[in-house]
Amino acid sequence: MLVIGAGNSMLLAVAPPLVRELQLGDSSVGWIFSLSALLWVFASPYWGRLSDNVGRKPTIALGLFAYAISMASFGAAVMLGQSGALTGFALFISLVLARSIFGAFGSASSPSAQAYIADRTTAFERTAQLAGLSSAFAVGQAFGPGICAWLASHFGSVFPIWLVGVLAFAASVAIIMFLPERTAPHSTRQRASFGQSLALITDRRLSGYLIYGFALSVVAGVTVQVFGLFTMDRLNVSGALGTQLTSYGFMANALALLFTQLVVLPRISMGPRSLMIWGAALTGIAVIAQIFAPNLEMLLVSQALQGLGAGLARPGFTGGASVAVEPHEQGAAAGLVVAVNGAGFIFSPIVGGVVYEHFGMNAPLVITALVLAFMFVFALVSRRLRDAVAVETASDPSTP
């Protein structure tokens, strides 16, 4: 999760200056990620279900290996674009297909990792432990952009992309060799068919969390896509300086998220619903602050507030969804949670890139603020969400 977080934040930091260097439209930033997000949505439930049957370890390793291939392919396509061997539509399609490898096969890692945690925790421990898993992703997000900016300035914009590919391959090998998985696949537990697993989408135990999670993913997809463009246009910068300043924003966001999950969450007593309410409220304030930010300092403050809000909202809906289902449904539920996490990137090219190009730099953020207002009200009034789990028993079946 550390490697994936670092790689994704590096790619998001370098993408806006790269598409302008390669003479692609601003909205192509979102479109490059959109097919991958669509594949992610449909593939994640499959991989989560498969991890129930074959074990968590092999599916986590497979996802990391696919991520390595995706990043290497993406770097190769960028190099061909910079040399002039690929241009225009052919270059755009090459970038889209390279990223799509991650959506189709790299999506195996996240639901399997979440289910790995669920296998080894009680219902009372799960929200905190899943937040800890998210913290590894956040560490990568925090330091990835800064490392990317330094490497890009010394070795070129493609070098960080290749480096992440190498690290993902090494992580895949490390998972195979060192990750302990002494618990067998769930062969002795009740198994639902794949169709029944997908039916969890409309299950009242889970559907409220998925609705909130989908809205949160739209917010994340739009804000990360437009931040680099917004920063370059608001501060009137471009190229390597644009990458550097965008990286500062992503680092502020991720460090605040990390602080929330490592320092704040262990010291507060909030159930999933409360975390979701406060997360939506703080993120909404942050987006409004970004709209009116006149300088880099205020942009960094807005990003830090977004990280704080996400650090509350994401563990709230992830932990709540896990606690809401039975042990034999953990893989399927984790797959659906991961699917909605990526679903927002399907719509971000329209809500983010196209709206940014045709209606101005503030328009995507106004839409995002309205989505966050819906999330706040939904979390406040929905009867599908719970703020506490049932009393724990000694025979909690979620304990392996």
Side-chain angles (χ1 to χ4, degrees), residues 193-210:
S193 68
F194 186 58
Q196 290 172 320
S197 298
L198 289 180
L200 283 173
I201 295 173
T202 58
D203 191 310
R204 289 188 63 85
R205 296 173 300 163
L206 195 61
S207 59
Y209 298 103
L210 296 180

Side-chain angles (χ1 to χ4, degrees), residues 367-379:
I367 295 173
T368 301
L370 294 175
V371 174
L372 285 161
F374 159 77
M375 291 166 57
F376 175 80
V377 174
F378 180 79

Side-chain angles (χ1 to χ4, degrees), residues 56-57 60 111-121 179-181:
R56 315 303 185 193
K57 182 172 176 175
I60 295 172
S112 305
Q114 287 188 26
Y116 183 93
I117 296 294
D119 288 344
R120 289 156 177 78
T121 55
L179 181 71
E181 187 172 19

